[in-house]
Amino acid sequence: MESSSVFGVRLSLKQRYFLLLCIAVGAIIFYQFTRNHPETRRMSRLEGLRANSSQFTLERKPFCILGGSIHYFRVPRAYWEDRLLKMKACGLNTLTTYVPWNLHEPERGVFNFEDHLDLEAYLRLAGSFGLWVILRPGPYICAEWDLGGLPSWLLRDQNMKLRTTYPGFTNAVNSFFNQLIKKVVPHQYSKGGPIIAVQVENEYGSYAQDKEYMPFIKEALLSRGITELLLTSDNKAGLKLGGVKGVLQTINFQKLNPDDIKYLDEIQPQKPKMVMEYWSGWFDLWGDLHHVYAAEDMIPVVTEILKLDMSINLFMFHGGTNFGFMNGAFALGMPGPKPMVTSYDYDAPLSEAGDYTTKYHLLRNLFSHYHTQPLPELPSLQERRAYHPVVIQQHLSLWDSLHFTDKPLKSERPVNMENLPVNNKNGQSYGYTLYETTITSGGVINSNNNVRDRALVFVDKHFVGVMDYKIQELALPDGKGRRTLSLLVENCGRVNYGKTLDEQRKGLVGDIELNKRLLRDFIIHSLDMKPGFVNRLETAGHWASMRQRPTFPGFFQARLYVNSFPKDTFIKLPGWIKGVIFINGKNLGRYWSIGPQQTLYVPGPWLHRGDNQVLSYLHLHEPTIQGKLLSKCPSTIHMHIYIPTRFFLHHFNQLNPILAKVGT
C-alpha cells in the first residue's frame, strides 16, 4: 500500500511537469503567433472597412490597403503558405484573389471546392497570417484565364449572351453563387474572418452590354449575405460604364496619369482612391516577345501612388502558372486570337517559382516605411535540383490512343467542341477534337474560317498541313479510292477579355469545303486529355519501344528517377516542337518552340521519391521558325530537367522590354 502511494505521487509529479511543459510550449507558440500577427490579436471587430471619407477606415481608424494578388488556383496547394508568408514579409497587409467559376463548376450542377480548389482553406490561411482579403468572385474574372473564368458549358446554348441578364446566364450565375457565397459568408470581417471587401464582377465598363447586369450581380451578392464593402474595378475608359450605385469604384493602370486620378476624384468626390490593379508586369503570348517591366520604372510609380494617399493592389504580386489548358487568349486588334503561354510569371515581384526578385526587395524597403513594427524576416527559398536528362522509352500513336477516349460521335455535320455529347452532356471544354470523314479525291480544302483554333490535317494518317485563322485553304494530294481525311483541332485557349466572349466555341464551328463542296458524315473523337484518359494511357499495354519508328502525333513516355526528397525544377524539351506534358498524371501545360517560354515549371510536391511518370503529347510535323519540317525520330531527343538562371523568364529569345497598353 505504501509503495503504491509513493508510485502514485511520482506519477502525479510527472504529469505536473508534463503539464507545465505543455503550458510553456503553448505560451511560446502564442507569443510567436501574436508577434507576427498583431492585427489579429488587437482587432476588436466592431466596424469593418468603410469608404465614408477621402480615406479608408477600419475600426474607424485610417487604413491604407497595401495589397497583392495571388491566385490560389495558379499555385500548388503545398506552396500556399510559402507564398503568403513572403507576401506578409514584403509588407503587404491585404491579399486579393479571383474565384474561377470554370474550375469550381466543371459540369453544370457539379461543384468542386476540394484540394487545390479549397477556397475556404485559403481564406483561413490568409487570416491566420494576419492578411486581410479582398475577394473578387466574378462570375467573370478575366485574369488571362480561359473564357475569363466562365465555364465553357454555357456556350452549349447557341443564343447565350454572357455577362448580361439573359436568363440562360443569370440562372447559371444564381446556381453557382448559391454554392460559392455560402462558403464565403462565414469568412467575412464581421464574422471574424479576413474578408474586408468584395468586388462586384470585373472590369464591366470595358464590356457594358446590359445596364441591368451590374445591379443584378450586386443584388446576387447582397441577398446571399455579403455585408462587407463592395467595389468595382475598371481602367480609366471603363470607369464611365462600369459602376453601380452604392459601390466604390477603383481604377486599374500601370503608368500614373494625373488626369486619371483627377477623373476618379470627380466621379466620386470625398471617397478613398484605390488602384485595384497596379500592373507589376504583363502577360506573354505565344510567338511574341517576352514582356518586362523594369523595377526602376515601377518603384517610382508605386511611391507616387502612396504619396497621394491612395491604396494599392499589386497585380500580380505572385503570378504562378496556367497549369493544364487554362491559359486564355488575346484578340484585340488581331485577325485571330493569340493564345497566352503556360507561365503566368508576369514579371511579378515574386517569380513563378516563388523566388524573390529585385522588385520584391525594393517594394519591401518601400512598404517598410508604412509599418510601425519591423517586417517579418524573409522566409527561406524553396530548394531546387537539377535532374539528369530523361530518355524517352516508349511511344504510342495518337491513332492507337483513340479507343481510350469516349465513344465517338457520328454526325452528318461538324459539331463544335462544347456541343459534343460527352462529360454528362456538358460538352468538351479543353484539349483536342478529331474530326474524320471520307474523301474520294484531292483538291483544295477550305475551312471558311471555321477552325478554332488550329488544325493538323491528315489524309490516311499522313500529315498534309496546318489550318488556322491565317491559313484557311490547303491543297490535298490526289489519290485513288476512298481515303480518310482527319482534322485534329486544338483549342489553344479561349479569349478572356473583350467583346467576343460569346464567339469562343472551339473545334469545327461550321462547315468545311473540299473543292467547294461541303464535307459531310463525320466521326468525331473527344481528346480532352483529362486525368482519367491520361491514367488509362499510362497503364495501357499498347506502347511500342523506341526501336520502332514512331508515327505522329503521338504520346511519348519516360521515367524520372528521384533518389531523395523531391525539389522544384524546370523541364525543357530541346528539339520538340509543340504539345503538352504531364508529370505523374498532372498536366504541367503547353510547350511550343516558337517561344517566348522555353521551360515549364515542375513543383517539387508534384514529384515523389523513386520513379516519376513523364508523359508528353507531341505534334512533330510542324513548321519550325525557319519554315522547315522536322522529320527526325525523337528517340534521340532527351527531356532535360534542369535549373535555369534565376530570372529564366527574362532570358527568352529576343527579349526586349515591351509595355502593354490595354487592360487585363
Side-chain angles (χ1 to χ4, degrees), residues 324-337:
F325 297 116
M326 288 298 109
N327 62 282
F330 188 73
L332 298 183
M334 298 180 180

Side-chain angles (χ1 to χ4, degrees), residues 297-314:
D297 295 327
M298 185 191 81
I299 297 299
V301 181
V302 177
T303 302
E304 185 62 25
I305 289 171
L306 297 176
K307 284 182 179 178
L308 293 172
D309 288 329
M310 296 180 68
S311 287
I312 188 171
N313 176 60
L314 300 170

Side-chain angles (χ1 to χ4, degrees), residues 356-395:
Y356 301 117
T357 66
T358 301
K359 287 180 182 178
Y360 181 98
H361 293 295
L362 292 175
L363 285 169
R364 175 178 157 89
N365 179 61
L366 174 60
F367 291 147
S368 69
H369 300 302
Y370 292 82
H371 291 266
T372 57
Q373 299 293 326
L375 295 181
E377 293 183 6
L378 292 178
S380 58
L381 290 173
Q382 297 296 324
E383 290 185 46
R384 300 285 164 71
R385 183 171 177 186
Y387 295 101
H388 292 296
V390 177
V391 181
I392 301 301
Q393 298 166 328
Q394 294 177 304
H395 64 89

Side-chain angles (χ1 to χ4, degrees), residues 618-629:
L618 168 69
H619 294 315
L620 185 67
H621 294 290
E622 301 207 28
T624 65
I625 296 172
Q626 290 78 26
K628 298 178 181 178
L629 292 180

Side-chain angles (χ1 to χ4, degrees), residues 504-546:
Q504 296 307 304
R505 295 173 183 87
K506 298 298 183 179
L508 293 184
V509 299
D511 286 323
I512 306 294
E513 295 179 346
L514 177 58
N515 300 328
K516 299 185 178 180
R517 297 186 63 178
L518 300 179
L519 292 172
R520 289 291 182 258
D521 299 322
F522 287 87
I523 296 176
I524 307 173
H525 297 265
S526 171
L527 282 153
D528 52 14
M529 298 194 189
K530 292 168 72 174
F533 169 76
V534 174
N535 291 336
R536 289 193 296 273
L537 269 191
E538 290 179 343
T539 57
H542 299 72
W543 292 85
S545 80
M546 293 306 294

Side-chain angles (χ1 to χ4, degrees), residues 531-563:
F533 169 76
V534 174
N535 291 336
R536 289 193 296 273
L537 269 191
E538 290 179 343
T539 57
H542 299 72
W543 292 85
S545 80
M546 293 306 294
R547 297 188 190 93
Q548 302 176 28
R549 184 177 179 84
T551 58
F552 305 99
F555 296 90
F556 295 81
Q557 194 169 200
R559 293 192 181 278
L560 166 67
Y561 183 75
V562 176
N563 61 2

